[in-house]
Amino acid sequence: MADHRNGGNHPAAASKGAGGASGGYTIDANTLQRRLKTLYSNWREHRDELWGSCNAFAVATPPPSDDLRYLKSSALNIWLLGYEFPETIMVFSEKQIHFLCSQKKASLLDVVTKSAKEAVNVDVVMHVKAKNDDGLTQMDAILNSIESVDSPVLGYIAREAPEGKLLETWTEKIKSSGLHLSDVTNGLSNLFAVKDSGELTNVKKAAYLTASAMKQFVVPKLEKVIDEEKKVTHSSLMDDTEKAILEPARIKVKLKADNVDICYPPIFQSGGNFDLRPSASSNDDHLYYDSASVIICALGSRYNSYCANVARTFLIDSNTTQSKAYQVLLKAHEAAVGAVMPGNKGSDVYKAALEVVQKEAPELTPNLTKSAGTGIGLEFRESGLNLNEKNERVMKIGMVFNVSLGFQNMQTKSSKAKSQNYALLIADTVIVTASGHEVVTALSSKAFKDVAYSFNDGEEEEDERPQVRAESKVNEALYSKATLRSDNHEMSKEELRRQHQAELARQKNEETAQRLAGGKSAAGDGRSSSRTSNDLIAYKNINDVPPPRDLMIQVDQRNEAILIPLYGSMVPFHVATVKTVSSQADTSRNCYIRIIFNVPGTPFSSHDPNALKNQTDIFLKEVSFRSKDPRHISEIVQQIKTLRRNVVSRESERAERASLVTQEKLVLAGHKFKPIRLTDLWIRPTFPGRGRKLPGTLEAHDNGFRYSTSRADERVDILFGNIKHAFFQAAEKEMITLLHFHLHNHIMVGNKKTKDVQFYVEVMDVVQTLGGGKRSAYDPDEIEEEQRERDRKNKINMDFQNFVNRVNDLWGQPKFKSLDLEFDQPLRELGFHGVPHKASAFIVPTSSCLVELIETPFLVVTLSEIEIVNLERVGLGQKNFDMAIVFKDFKRDVLRIDGSEEEEGKTWEELEREASNADKEKGVESDSEEERKRRKMKAFGKSRAGPSSSAPKRPKFRR
């Protein structure tokens, strides 16, 4: 974004290339021939309208420079020859190509002679200039060759001022020669406009590098700066980002650093001073990120001298006006990108964006930039391809555009002067394809949820929230002073906490009043499942009852019935009607069997809907029989219990399956891509059965996961759309490394209905030495064993991490954007001990949840679903307290966590800061730290608090 910065290939590389074949640079003969044909074809076809009716044209390349610059002469060098040849003059005519250069450059250009003859049937004439020669003799020879034709017209690049003694001499020579001169700038622009496959590959690589720098470096860097409330200047951010681009390995991009350069110094703007022109630059002001502030960042990088550009606007605690303006700009930008299609005109792109703005927010039309971007390639801004309202140039397949759109000179109401003025900018690199277009910088998201951050949500917003009561004004004014950085107002932690609690109480009281008044319904989906049972029928008619052999109790396994002799007849009872069955022997060798049935009105009996249908019937409560055959009685009791257990288990599973939400089928990877695999995993809950448990394999397919073992019936499918939270917890102080999925809807694992599915590996075996003797700490076997355990744990953690990274990349595809999925990792530094169920457990927060994933039953509490947390038994001198969590869905039971530990009254934010400092002392650098911060920030994007929500002391982010 710098019109004054010109350049082609890096001068250092060019000078090496011109230094001779020994420098390692060679000219690709095939590419040279192909592009010579294109050059002469374009020149001959558009000679009059674009090339100034010239019979010959000259291109003079200036000396090398350390400045970033874009020149048509340098671009032609790179496009045609692959390198920039400084202080070289090329003259193209119908029958000859003249080169005026040094001896070393001439030796490298030898390959041009043969290629030019074969491609366009022209001769190459080399004019070698000695080191201290002014080149006048060679110039005269070139001009004499041009003057030999009738009505000679010499084309040259009129807009490029001559640099260096050689070019100044050449310019004076052609102007005093008497030849008619014409400008060929438009011809060269038309020549560079349509890129071939090799050029498009370079553009895509440059775009990938640019988008990766924005996603992998700039965004985490800004989040870290804001989260830690650092003072960083725009210029320092510019320098750090430039270094990241020039060292692609730092941002995990596998491109050679020698082929990479920046298009312009990265641009960072905030604090009310914004300039959306291409010549903008980063100043030395500090990054401003208070409430209602805007940060604009623009990056451009080059690969093999081909440019790509991306620009994003980040909104910090935006008010309604800013949010609406950004969403309108986003729609307009998407409309502009949609209009980039073969056959459309350049003006169609701008008109598409303008139409959206006029429809959605006509008051913003004067603030819209006058152009929707430009062509981009070897030059950052290709002349003749401006996407403005007047350009009638038709787009062709292979053209590349920097679609850049913004709102400038915007105003919003705010008590802070630096937040009153703002601007918005979005830019992407787009390639025109046969099917339409391809946005090659889409890796860097521009969606509102990914660029809008919630920071000091409780701060006053004068233009968005009318103040009703004087008390509210006072509270909010005080709270603003407490939460924002200020040199003049310092408040103690206790005062901040009290104001925070008072603000929370006020908001919750208002929400409760609205809900009770009918203004707002209770949260939750309101769904409830009622268990239905079918009529239990043992036999449909009397003829199905088996004929009695003896008047003895019989068990019909097939029909799931018990035949009991009553008054000389065998009466059938379905086994599900049996509540308990027992046997007892007396001293006289008699044995008794007692059968108790489920009847209405019995205390603690399960509710049976069938009993309500026949309320006037007479029910048999229990029967007892005496027998002299204890073995028979024992067999009958065992058969009844086994049959009853199987029937109850089956009916329970059937009822649970009936309440399951129907899900789509898993689409296997097939030939699209190889599924991502993680092997030798155990699953919780486990599959039923008494056989030996087997490990299985977890595979990521097109729309979900599949876990399977070597047994055909042991298989579980987890669809991406059903995943609410995904966690990855590496083994640190635990014995297992795990992946945990908390689901929206229940699924069946075997015959168990569950919302939590976990896959894990034991990183080391639990071994107890039975010898009784103590082993020395210096025992070589002991040391070797510990090393093996560490290696095994590290390998397992690394395998899981690789799997998680690949799945995160899969979830990053556009079709999964709406699911907002990403593996989260618990923050052990912020964990505490508590009793969520029956046993004490180590409970750990993540960016979006409170979890305990080691002991069963698992605990997963979504933070955005919590209405309020009540701390009980809190007192001076006590380190333990109880926690009661009330959910927004008031139909859910209150969750109690007893015996929670308090570490000297410290907040999670303080603990996190201590953990961060400890990491730095140990040498744990920004990768893990930034990743942890990013995961923490992501939570607050899923439930952005409104204007009346509470504001935490430290910034809460929304991704």
Side-chain angles (χ1 to χ4, degrees):
M1 305 185 75
D3 187 38
H4 63 284
R5 306 182 186 101
N6 307 312
N9 205 354
H10 197 277
S15 61
K16 290 180 182 178
S22 61
Y25 294 95
T26 56
I27 297 174
D28 187 344
N30 293 330
T31 302
L32 175 60
Q33 290 184 21
R34 186 172 65 252
R35 292 183 179 174
L36 273 174
K37 291 179 181 178
T38 304
L39 170 61
Y40 272 83
S41 174
N42 191 294
W43 177 28
R44 290 162 179 166
E45 182 179 354
H46 304 287
R47 187 192 303 266
D48 294 331
E49 65 267 31
L50 298 176
W51 293 85
S53 303
C54 64
N55 307 110
F57 64 92
V59 177
T61 312
S65 172
D66 291 333
D67 295 332
L68 287 169
R69 56 185 192 175
Y70 297 99
L71 301 173
K72 285 284 191 299
S73 55
S74 300
L76 182 63
N77 273 244
I78 297 168
W79 181 80
L80 187 63
L81 304 172
Y83 307 101
E84 180 183 356
F85 287 78
E87 294 188 287
T88 300
I89 299 174
M90 299 185 293
V91 178
F92 297 84
S93 66
E94 286 288 353
K95 297 181 179 180
Q96 290 179 328
I97 301 177
H98 298 267
F99 287 91
L100 173 54
C101 58
S102 65
Q103 179 62 53
K104 291 183 179 180
K105 295 170 188 169
S107 61
L108 187 62
L109 291 168
D110 283 342
V111 67
V112 180
T113 303
K114 181 179 178 182
S115 299
K117 193 67 176 178
E118 293 177 355
V120 290
N121 194 27
V122 297
D123 297 322
V124 174
V125 181
M126 290 290 177
H127 303 270
V128 178
K129 181 184 75 70
K131 185 174 183 180
N132 298 321
D133 188 6
D134 57 7
L136 286 174
T137 305
Q138 293 84 353
M139 294 177 190
D140 289 335
I142 295 173
L143 294 177
N144 290 334
S145 175
I146 297 172
E147 292 171 350
S148 62
V149 301
D150 296 334
S151 304
V153 177
L154 177 63
Y156 76 112
I157 305 173
R159 301 178 186 177
E160 291 186 8
E163 299 179 27
K165 185 176 180 181
L166 179 67
L167 268 64
E168 290 174 355
T169 303
W170 169 255
T171 303
E172 293 175 2
K173 194 71 175 175
I174 61 174
K175 288 184 177 180
S176 62
S177 64
L179 291 172
H180 180 70
L181 302 179
S182 63
D183 188 9
V184 295
T185 300
N186 292 336
L188 291 173
S189 297
N190 184 64
L191 179 67
F192 301 146
V194 178
K195 281 77 175 173
D196 59 27
S197 59
E199 293 177 284
L200 293 179
T201 299
N202 288 330
V203 170
K204 290 179 180 179
K205 290 182 178 180
Y208 179 71
L209 174 62
T210 308
S212 297
M214 181 69 76
K215 179 180 179 181
Q216 304 291 348
F217 183 81
V218 173
V219 173
K221 180 75 173 179
L222 291 177
E223 289 173 348
K224 183 180 178 182
V225 168
I226 299 175
D227 184 48
E228 297 180 359
E229 300 182 7
K230 291 183 178 180
K231 288 188 176 181
V232 179
T233 63
H234 299 140
S235 56
S236 64
L237 287 172
M238 174 193 72
D239 293 337
D240 293 342
T241 306
E242 181 176 336
K243 292 176 182 177
I245 294 175
L246 297 179
E247 299 176 23
R250 290 181 56 185
I251 51 178
K252 300 177 182 179
V253 175
K254 296 180 180 180
L255 294 176
K256 291 183 179 180
D258 292 341
N259 298 334
V260 168
D261 200 357
I262 58 172
C263 293
Y264 53 88
I267 298 174
F268 291 86
Q269 301 180 83
S270 66
N273 296 322
F274 298 97
D275 184 359
L276 303 188
R277 294 177 299 178
S279 57
S281 60
S282 302
N283 57 30
D284 292 327
D285 294 343
H286 285 99
L287 187 71
Y288 181 76
Y289 44 83
D290 272 348
S291 178
S293 62
V294 169
I295 300 173
I296 290 180
C297 176
L299 308 178
S301 61
R302 294 191 290 177
Y303 184 80
N304 284 341
S305 300
Y306 284 85
C307 301
N309 185 61
V310 67
R312 296 290 181 261
T313 300
F314 301 100
L315 308 175
I316 309 301
D317 191 24
S318 60
N319 54 40
T320 305
T321 302
Q322 293 171 322
S323 300
K324 179 184 176 182
Y326 182 85
Q327 290 169 345
V328 171
L329 179 63
L330 182 60
K331 288 183 180 179
H333 188 268
E334 290 175 345
V337 171
V340 177
M341 299 182 68
N344 283 1
K345 298 177 181 178
S347 58
D348 294 337
V349 178
Y350 185 79
K351 290 176 181 177
L354 182 62
E355 183 179 352
V356 171
V357 176
Q358 290 175 340
K359 178 181 178 181
E360 299 286 338
E363 69 278 7
L364 299 180
T365 304
N367 303 99
L368 185 66
T369 52
K370 304 306 179 184
S371 170
T374 63
I376 190 171
L378 286 169
E379 299 174 283
F380 184 76
R381 295 202 305 166
E382 294 184 336
S383 56
L385 294 180
N386 290 329
L387 301 177
N388 54 33
E389 203 167 11
K390 300 178 180 179
N391 191 357
E392 298 298 312
R393 183 80 174 271
V394 176
M395 299 182 187
K396 299 178 181 179
I397 299 172
M399 288 185 175
V400 184
F401 292 92
N402 169 32
V403 181
S404 177
L405 207 64
F407 287 136
Q408 52 195 351
N409 303 322
M410 302 283 283
Q411 300 286 328
T412 187
K413 294 181 180 179
S414 177
S415 59
K416 306 170 191 63
K418 289 187 176 182
S419 296
Q420 293 174 358
N421 302 323
Y422 71 99
L424 306 173
L425 179 66
I426 302 175
D428 277 304
T429 304
V430 184
I431 296 176
V432 182
T433 63
S435 59
H437 61 266
E438 179 184 0
V439 182
V440 289
T441 51
L443 178 64
S444 174
S445 176
K446 59 188 174 187
F448 179 76
K449 68 182 183 65
D450 292 324
V451 300
Y453 292 81
S454 177
F455 175 56
N456 287 340
D457 282 336
E459 197 171 342
E460 58 180 346
E461 297 180 16
E462 298 90 336
D463 59 331
E464 309 304 329
R465 185 173 61 185
Q467 307 298 333
V468 180
R469 296 177 298 178
E471 299 92 329
S472 298
K473 290 183 178 180
V474 173
N475 289 340
E476 293 184 6
L478 289 173
Y479 187 55
S480 297
K481 294 178 183 178
T483 55
L484 297 182
R485 300 180 308 282
S486 174
D487 296 332
N488 301 323
H489 301 88
E490 294 293 339
M491 304 189 69
S492 68
K493 292 182 179 179
E494 182 63 21
E495 291 173 333
L496 290 173
R497 189 189 66 79
R498 287 178 180 175
Q499 290 186 7
H500 189 190
Q501 293 295 315
E503 180 69 11
L504 280 174
R506 183 188 65 79
Q507 292 170 10
K508 292 304 175 186
N509 288 337
E510 290 179 358
E511 292 174 4
T512 303
Q514 291 178 6
R515 184 172 59 253
L516 294 177
K520 183 188 294 185
S521 61
D525 53 10
R527 293 178 295 180
S528 62
S529 59
S530 60
R531 179 180 174 181
T532 60
S533 62
N534 299 323
D535 291 336
L536 301 174
I537 300 175
Y539 304 101
K540 294 183 179 180
N541 55 65
I542 192 65
N543 296 326
D544 294 336
V545 179
R549 297 188 300 271
D550 296 309
L551 290 178
M552 299 175 63
I553 299 177
Q554 300 177 22
V555 178
D556 187 352
Q557 300 280 356
R558 180 180 178 183
N559 293 294
E560 301 174 350
I562 306 172
L563 298 172
I564 299 177
L566 295 176
Y567 299 103
S569 300
M570 299 299 291
V571 180
F573 292 85
H574 196 281
V575 73
T577 63
V578 176
K579 183 178 181 181
T580 61
V581 58
S582 60
S583 63
Q584 186 177 4
D586 60 10
T587 57
S588 58
R589 296 185 179 180
N590 291 327
C591 188
Y592 296 88
I593 182 172
R594 183 185 184 191
I595 303 175
I596 301 177
F597 297 96
N598 291 312
V599 296
T602 304
F604 309 110
S605 64
S606 59
H607 174 69
D608 185 7
N610 294 309
L612 300 177
K613 299 178 182 177
N614 307 302
Q615 298 184 20
T616 59
D617 292 355
I618 298 175
F619 293 90
L620 181 63
K621 184 175 182 180
E622 68 174 81
V623 292
S624 297
F625 292 90
R626 184 180 64 185
S627 173
K628 293 183 178 181
D629 187 355
R631 180 179 297 178
H632 175 69
I633 291 297
S634 178
E635 291 178 356
I636 291 296
V637 170
Q638 190 62 36
Q639 289 178 10
I640 293 176
K641 287 184 176 180
T642 302
L643 180 60
R644 181 178 178 278
R645 182 169 58 249
N646 294 338
V647 170
V648 170
S649 176
R650 186 196 66 209
E651 291 299 322
S652 176
E653 181 180 348
R654 180 182 300 172
E656 289 181 344
R657 289 186 181 276
S659 63
L660 294 177
V661 176
T662 303
Q663 301 185 47
E664 58 180 327
K665 292 184 178 180
L666 181 69
V667 179
L668 300 181
H671 299 293
K672 295 181 180 179
F673 65 91
K674 186 178 180 180
I676 307 170
R677 286 188 175 89
L678 192 59
T679 58
D680 295 329
L681 303 179
W682 302 94
I683 185 173
R684 291 196 291 186
T686 59
F687 289 111
R690 299 184 178 181
R692 185 172 67 90
K693 305 302 180 185
L694 298 176
T697 299
L698 182 65
E699 297 178 341
H701 290 276
D702 188 65
N703 65 334
F705 296 103
R706 167 165 289 181
Y707 174 82
S708 59
T709 69
S710 56
R711 295 192 181 110
D713 59 336
E714 293 185 348
R715 188 174 70 186
V716 176
D717 291 343
I718 304 175
L719 300 179
F720 294 154
N722 193 30
I723 297 176
K724 187 175 184 180
H725 301 292
F727 305 102
F728 161 53
Q729 182 169 314
E732 293 183 16
K733 297 182 180 180
E734 302 84 10
M735 300 292 292
I736 62 174
T737 297
L738 61 87
L739 299 178
H740 189 97
F741 298 101
H742 183 67
L743 310 179
H744 289 286
N745 303 306
H746 291 84
I747 64 171
M748 299 298 293
V749 178
N751 58 357
K752 300 173 185 175
K753 182 180 178 182
T754 182
K755 268 191 175 183
D756 289 278
V757 184
Q758 185 179 110
F759 306 99
Y760 68 96
V761 170
E762 294 181 354
V763 296
M764 60 182 70
D765 299 327
V766 180
V767 179
Q768 181 178 3
T769 303
L770 302 179
K774 294 184 178 180
R775 302 177 66 175
S776 170
Y778 300 100
D779 186 350
D781 294 337
E782 181 80 7
I783 296 174
E784 184 179 354
E785 182 179 342
E786 290 178 356
Q787 184 60 42
R788 283 199 302 268
E789 290 178 349
R790 283 193 294 268
D791 293 342
R792 171 179 164 80
K793 181 174 73 172
N794 292 336
K795 182 180 183 303
I796 290 174
N797 289 343
M798 185 60 66
D799 291 342
F800 271 70
Q801 185 67 64
N802 291 337
F803 179 84
V804 167
N805 291 340
R806 294 179 65 188
V807 173
N808 280 337
D809 291 340
L810 177 65
W811 285 342
Q813 296 178 4
K815 63 179 179 179
F816 298 125
K817 284 289 186 182
S818 60
L819 301 180
D820 194 20
L821 291 176
E822 186 175 13
F823 275 101
D824 208 349
Q825 294 191 30
L827 306 173
R828 289 189 57 87
E829 307 87 45
L830 311 183
F832 58 91
H833 290 278
V835 185
H837 300 294
K838 294 182 179 179
S840 178
F842 188 63
I843 302 169
V844 190
T846 72
S847 64
S848 57
C849 298
L850 200 61
V851 301
E852 192 284 306
L853 306 176
I854 303 298
E855 304 295 335
T856 55
F858 305 118
L859 174 70
V860 178
V861 180
T862 304
L863 298 180
S864 61
E865 296 177 355
I866 295 177
E867 173 72 11
I868 193 171
V869 178
N870 186 41
L871 303 182
E872 304 170 354
R873 271 194 323 115
V874 179
L876 294 175
Q878 293 185 357
K879 288 191 175 182
N880 294 335
F881 58 90
D882 298 333
M883 181 185 298
I885 299 177
V886 181
F887 296 97
K888 293 180 180 178
D889 182 2
F890 294 138
K891 296 180 180 179
R892 293 178 60 178
D893 293 335
V894 174
L895 173 65
R896 290 188 58 84
I897 301 178
D898 298 328
S900 304
E901 288 188 359
E902 178 184 17
E903 186 178 336
E904 300 179 0
K906 293 181 180 179
T907 63
W908 282 1
E909 291 83 359
E910 291 169 329
L911 289 172
E912 181 190 15
R913 192 180 303 114
E914 292 179 2
S916 174
N917 294 334
D919 282 347
K920 292 179 179 178
E921 291 175 1
K922 296 177 182 178
V924 179
E925 265 310 320
S926 59
D927 278 348
S928 61
E929 184 181 348
E930 289 179 3
E931 189 70 16
R932 188 164 62 250
K933 302 287 186 185
R934 183 181 61 78
R935 292 194 303 270
K936 180 175 79 64
M937 295 161 192
K938 182 176 181 293
F940 304 95
K942 296 181 179 178
S943 60
R944 178 179 173 89
S948 63
S949 65
S950 65
K953 177 188 173 189
R954 288 177 58 78
K956 302 297 185 185
F957 287 91
R958 189 166 81 83
R959 285 292 306 277

